[in-house]
Amino acid sequence: MDKVQEIVEKQVLTVAKAVEDKLDEEISALDRLDIDDIEVLRERRLQQMKKMAEKKSRWISLGHGEYSEIPNEKDFFAIVKASERVVCHFYRDNWPCKVMDKHLTILAKQHIETRFLKINAEKSPYLAEKLRIVVLPTLALIKNAKVDDYVVGFDELGGTDEFSTEELEERLAKAEVIIFEGESSRILSKSKAQSKKSVRQSSNPDSSDSE
């Protein structure tokens, strides 16, 4: 009986050792894999950061990051061709255009990937006619040197001069003339309000959608 027990114990130990060795091998393999993955991801991230830094440097050299005025319509085409994404405000010296200026000044700093410009429509008759600019302010949304969309007046911004920068930002993002990562503060505040409302309704068993 003792001999049988001894044989069984030896087999158990052998199996246990084999399992332990296998686990050690797998852990070692995982460790090596993790290190390699981290190194690959690190290298990839460094390359992405390098490319982004080069892009930002180029954008800044082209005047991105600032809201600037085109001095005359002859310069318009050369400036537009230099940047992939352009928002150009056709303005006159009036209050609605000044409101638009305020928001575009903010967005120019936030969205360095896009060139933000303004041009006096009354001093640019050829350009205004060619692009069919009638209502002021009008934003020409330009991608790859072609006008892709327009924001005419404030109709799409609530029909009032009290619209927020976030509302304009959402409209530009919809046209894909700015790179919009994440959600604007307006969307987040709406989401939070809806969430709170939902929580209140769920906590009140008598609440109903119908009056």
Side-chain angles (χ1 to χ4, degrees):
M1 191 73 179
D2 290 340
K3 201 146 182 107
V4 172
Q5 188 175 349
E6 187 180 340
I7 292 167
V8 170
E9 285 176 354
K10 278 184 180 179
Q11 287 177 338
V12 169
L13 286 170
T14 302
V15 171
K17 182 71 168 62
V19 170
E20 189 180 342
D21 289 344
K22 182 67 176 172
L23 283 171
D24 286 343
E25 187 182 330
E26 288 179 358
I27 290 167
S28 181
L30 284 171
D31 285 342
R32 286 198 302 274
L33 183 63
D34 287 345
I35 290 165
D36 289 343
D37 282 347
I38 290 166
E39 194 58 38
V40 168
L41 289 171
R42 182 174 172 276
E43 184 60 31
R44 192 179 299 163
R45 181 62 179 154
L46 285 171
Q47 289 300 321
Q48 288 173 345
M49 288 170 68
K50 186 180 177 183
K51 284 181 182 178
M52 183 51 69
E54 288 171 356
K55 275 187 177 181
K56 284 185 177 180
S57 179
R58 181 175 177 276
W59 288 336
I60 290 168
S61 72
L62 290 170
H64 290 226
E66 295 180 2
Y67 178 49
S68 53
E69 182 159 6
I70 301 174
N72 60 72
E73 59 184 346
K74 289 179 182 178
D75 298 326
F76 175 83
F77 296 101
I79 292 172
V80 162
K81 283 178 183 176
S83 297
E84 186 182 344
R85 292 171 291 270
V86 178
V87 174
C88 186
H89 174 203
F90 285 83
Y91 80 97
R92 72 156 66 101
D93 191 17
N94 64 13
W95 171 250
C97 291
K98 289 184 190 303
V99 170
M100 189 64 80
D101 282 340
K102 180 189 75 172
H103 295 296
L104 292 175
T105 299
I106 294 167
L107 290 174
K109 290 180 172 63
Q110 292 178 350
H111 291 278
I112 195 173
E113 74 280 1
T114 301
R115 184 87 193 265
F116 285 81
L117 302 165
K118 64 189 288 190
I119 188 166
N120 190 313
E122 293 175 335
K123 293 179 181 178
S124 311
Y126 168 77
L127 203 54
E129 184 180 351
K130 184 176 175 64
L131 299 181
R132 299 176 184 176
I133 306 296
V134 178
V135 176
L136 299 177
T138 286
L139 303 183
L141 311 183
I142 304 159
K143 293 190 287 186
N144 298 312
K146 292 181 181 179
V147 178
D148 187 69
D149 199 358
Y150 293 94
V151 178
V152 180
F154 299 153
D155 288 348
E156 295 181 71
L157 302 167
T160 171
D161 62 11
E162 295 180 352
F163 65 91
S164 67
T165 302
E166 289 77 20
E167 285 174 291
L168 178 57
E169 184 181 30
E170 287 170 36
R171 176 62 182 85
L172 299 182
K174 186 180 176 182
E176 297 181 346
V177 78
I178 59 173
I179 297 172
F180 198 50
E181 297 177 353
E183 295 178 307
S184 73
S185 56
R186 197 171 76 90
I187 293 175
L188 288 171
S189 62
K190 271 185 177 181
S191 176
K192 285 177 183 175
Q194 287 171 352
S195 176
K196 284 179 183 176
K197 185 179 178 184
S198 176
V199 168
R200 284 199 300 271
Q201 286 177 340
S202 63
S203 64
N204 182 2
D206 299 324
S207 66
S208 171
D209 289 336
S210 59
E211 292 295 327

